[in-house]
Amino acid sequence: MSAIRLLVLGAVRQHGRAHGYQVRNDLEYWGAHEWSNAKPGSIYHALKQMAKQGLLHAHEIAPSTVGGPPRTEYEITEAGTQEYLALLREALAARERTIDVLSAAIGFMVDLERAEVVSLLRERLRRLAEWRGAVTEHYVPVGGPEKLGHIGEIMNMWVHAADGEAAWTRGLIERIEGGAYTFAGEGEPFVGVLAEGVENPYATGDSHPGDIR
Amino acid sequence: MSAIRLLVLGAVRQHGRAHGYQVRNDLEYWGAHEWSNAKPGSIYHALKQMAKQGLLHAHEIAPSTVGGPPRTEYEITEAGTQEYLALLREALAARERTIDVLSAAIGFMVDLERAEVVSLLRERLRRLAEWRGAVTEHYVPVGGPEKLGHIGEIMNMWVHAADGEAAWTRGLIERIEGGAYTFAGEGEPFVGVLAEGVENPYATGDSHPGDIR
DNA sequence: GAGCAGGTAGTCAAGTTTGATTAGTTGACG
DNA sequence: CGTCAACTAATCAAACTTGACTACCTGCTC
């Protein structure tokens, strides 16, 4: 799974109704162009594709207000909401290799309820542990580990990565159980999109740091 | 950069001359189908593409020995070797987000000289530190970090990941400087491909662990 | 001796991603 | 008043990836 569908669905959903450029702006606001494949082409493609699949409803808008090319506004459908929640849950629980899907999922996690997020993160821990076991047990050749030579460093790296991720996940669980943040059904949600007409303080300025991706 | 070009170039190079199925088998032997996008389609595509670009030389082989579809054997060109080494160096030095490129690079690192590998890994450390600084400094909003809400967890995750990677990299540098493994120009190289006719002890058996990718 | 599991070698269509490019509008400056 | 830079909005071709599929042969079993 790439992060793009999750990001686009999440953006459209928070707006209620949004056209491609708005989505694109939100993703830039979130810094997604730095840590995911959120290029214009991918975003517009994802919108069209998901409209074709019935996850979004496309409204053709007359090219009225500012001129320029005709715009299409999208609205999330019931099927789209289901898909969004499914992607989000899977992203939180999966032992993902890429940081982009997990980043997106953390950004959207407050769309779920507190208890569910905790249980998804626990599932993540379980899968990390399972994988760690599989790597250490399964990839050791018959003649003992020393037969592996430098190849053993690959497994070492994986185990290291799994341990690091697990530690971070445990920390996050603790903070969430400790009452941090505001989740679904707990009142005033966190506002994560740009209001129309507000400038983006995190825009892709020249001063921005080395390519984060 | 995806890992596939590096993997395919490395495989062809170790064989001297190889056809698609042989490359495919090597990658499976290395477990690459578990942690990279090394599907048949991608492999054959990469071979053709790189032949078109002059990185590989394609020899058409009569469909002689066993029947079946006509095979093409590939040989790495001078340009291909240059590209391979460039990809390898970049993969070792880059603060990569994906584990697949780095896994491949670790597998091939002994094709370089010991001193160079160490210096590339130091460069990697430098870039990790730079990135860490950029994340902590740049992504803090005007009103202080508490304004970030749960979004701050994303940066927290990145910092965690960077620290973990740096720690592992330092460990690897230490082991290499301590004399571990056999690098280019140090005699008998490590044999990393299957000889023709030898069965693969790590084949995709049913007993293999949960999807590692 | 029919047929079926499995190995060998590769192709293909559909979907996705990338990077460049188009095309119009607005603001700013000399 | 022209024109140049930047913004808004989107498209396109080319490349890449995916998962399923073709086709052929060998060995084994019922």
Side-chain angles (χ1 to χ4, degrees), chain B residues 58-113:
Chain B
H59 303 268
E60 298 288 337
I61 298 296
S64 55
T65 39
V66 284
R71 309 189 306 187
T72 308
E73 287 195 333
Y74 295 91
E75 206 169 356
I76 196 164
T77 63
E78 181 52 32
T81 302
Q82 291 315 309
E83 173 75 1
Y84 168 70
L85 294 175
L87 286 177
L88 180 50
R89 289 181 176 121
E90 180 54 24
L92 284 173
R95 175 193 47 65
E96 277 293 339
R97 67 245 169 260
T98 50
I99 206 159
D100 57 347
V101 178
L102 189 50
S103 293
I106 298 296
F108 291 136
M109 68 177 174
V110 293
D111 282 347
L112 301 173
E113 286 180 10

Side-chain angles (χ1 to χ4, degrees), chain A residues 34-35 95 97-99 102-103 106-107 109-110 131 134-135 138-141 147-151 153-154 156-158 160-161 164 167-168 172 175 181 190 202 207-209 211-213, chain B residues 34-35 95 97-99 102-103 106-107 109-110 131 134-135 138-141 147-151 153-154 156-158 160-161 164 167-168 172 175 181 190 202 207-209 211-213:
Chain A
E34 307 255 10
W35 45 263
R95 175 195 48 65
R97 68 241 170 265
T98 51
I99 207 160
L102 189 50
S103 293
I106 298 297
M109 70 178 172
V110 293
W131 180 56
V135 170
H138 200 79
Y139 284 90
V140 173
K147 282 264 175 192
L148 275 176
H150 69 284
I151 298 296
E153 290 291 353
I154 298 181
N156 187 248
M157 175 176 69
W158 289 343
H160 237 266
W168 171 81
L172 179 57
R175 288 189 288 281
Y181 317 125
F190 185 87
Y202 307 114
S207 71
H208 98 58
D211 204 12
I212 282 202
R213 182 171 179 190
Chain B
E34 309 254 11
W35 46 264
R95 175 193 47 65
R97 67 245 169 260
T98 50
I99 206 159
L102 189 50
S103 293
I106 298 296
M109 68 177 174
V110 293
W131 180 56
V135 170
H138 200 78
Y139 284 91
V140 173
K147 282 264 175 190
L148 275 175
H150 69 284
I151 297 297
E153 290 290 353
I154 298 180
N156 187 247
M157 175 176 70
W158 288 344
H160 236 266
W168 171 80
L172 178 56
R175 288 189 288 282
Y181 318 124
F190 185 87
Y202 308 114
S207 70
H208 97 60
D211 203 15
I212 282 201
R213 183 174 177 186

Side-chain angles (χ1 to χ4, degrees), chain B residues 15-60:
Chain B
H15 274 291
R17 214 175 209 243
H19 52 90
Y21 195 71
Q22 242 168 343
V23 171
R24 195 173 152 181
N25 261 6
D26 277 356
L27 299 207
E28 179 169 86
Y29 176 52
W30 300 337
H33 56 295
E34 309 254 11
W35 46 264
S36 80
N37 56 340
K39 316 280 165 63
S42 302
I43 294 169
Y44 287 107
H45 173 75
L47 283 168
K48 275 186 187 158
Q49 196 64 20
M50 293 195 292
K52 213 167 79 182
Q53 293 171 358
L55 306 180
L56 297 174
H57 183 102
H59 303 268
E60 298 288 337

Side-chain angles (χ1 to χ4, degrees), chain A residues 103-125:
Chain A
S103 293
I106 298 297
F108 292 136
M109 70 178 172
V110 293
D111 282 346
L112 300 174
E113 286 179 9
R114 187 179 295 268
E116 185 177 16
V117 171
V118 168
S119 111
L120 288 166
L121 291 172
R122 284 199 200 291
E123 168 66 13
R124 181 186 188 77
L125 280 179

Side-chain angles (χ1 to χ4, degrees), chain A:
Chain A
M1 175 176 77
S2 94
I4 191 88
R5 287 177 152 245
L6 181 56
L7 284 167
V8 169
L9 282 174
V12 171
R13 186 165 176 273
Q14 289 197 14
H15 273 292
R17 212 172 208 245
H19 52 90
Y21 195 71
Q22 242 168 342
V23 171
R24 197 174 149 182
N25 261 5
D26 277 357
L27 300 207
E28 179 169 86
Y29 176 51
W30 301 337
H33 55 295
E34 307 255 10
W35 45 263
S36 79
N37 56 341
K39 316 279 165 63
S42 302
I43 294 169
Y44 287 107
H45 173 77
L47 283 168
K48 274 186 187 158
Q49 196 65 21
M50 294 196 291
K52 213 167 79 181
Q53 293 169 357
L55 306 179
L56 296 174
H57 182 100
H59 303 269
E60 298 288 338
I61 297 296
S64 53
T65 40
V66 286
R71 310 190 305 188
T72 308
E73 286 195 334
Y74 296 90
E75 207 170 356
I76 197 164
T77 64
E78 181 52 32
T81 302
Q82 291 314 309
E83 173 74 0
Y84 168 69
L85 294 174
L87 286 177
L88 181 51
R89 289 182 176 119
E90 181 54 23
L92 284 173
R95 175 195 48 65
E96 277 293 338
R97 68 241 170 265
T98 51
I99 207 160
D100 57 346
V101 179
L102 189 50
S103 293
I106 298 297
F108 292 136
M109 70 178 172
V110 293
D111 282 346
L112 300 174
E113 286 179 9
R114 187 179 295 268
E116 185 177 16
V117 171
V118 168
S119 111
L120 288 166
L121 291 172
R122 284 199 200 291
E123 168 66 13
R124 181 186 188 77
L125 280 179
R126 206 188 58 64
R127 294 193 201 176
L128 279 167
E130 183 185 50
W131 180 56
R132 191 193 197 286
V135 170
T136 50
E137 277 172 35
H138 200 79
Y139 284 90
V140 173
V142 192
E146 54 286 348
K147 282 264 175 192
L148 275 176
H150 69 284
I151 298 296
E153 290 291 353
I154 298 181
M155 286 93 209
N156 187 248
M157 175 176 69
W158 289 343
V159 169
H160 237 266
D163 289 348
E165 264 203 76
W168 171 81
T169 304
R170 272 190 290 273
L172 179 57
I173 289 175
E174 242 173 70
R175 288 189 288 281
I176 293 177
E177 286 189 323
Y181 317 125
T182 307
F183 287 81
E186 300 179 352
E188 212 54 33
F190 185 87
V191 178
V193 292
L194 285 170
E196 199 107 20
V198 173
E199 72 174 311
N200 178 359
Y202 307 114
T204 22
D206 316 312
S207 71
H208 98 58
D211 204 12
I212 282 202
R213 182 171 179 190

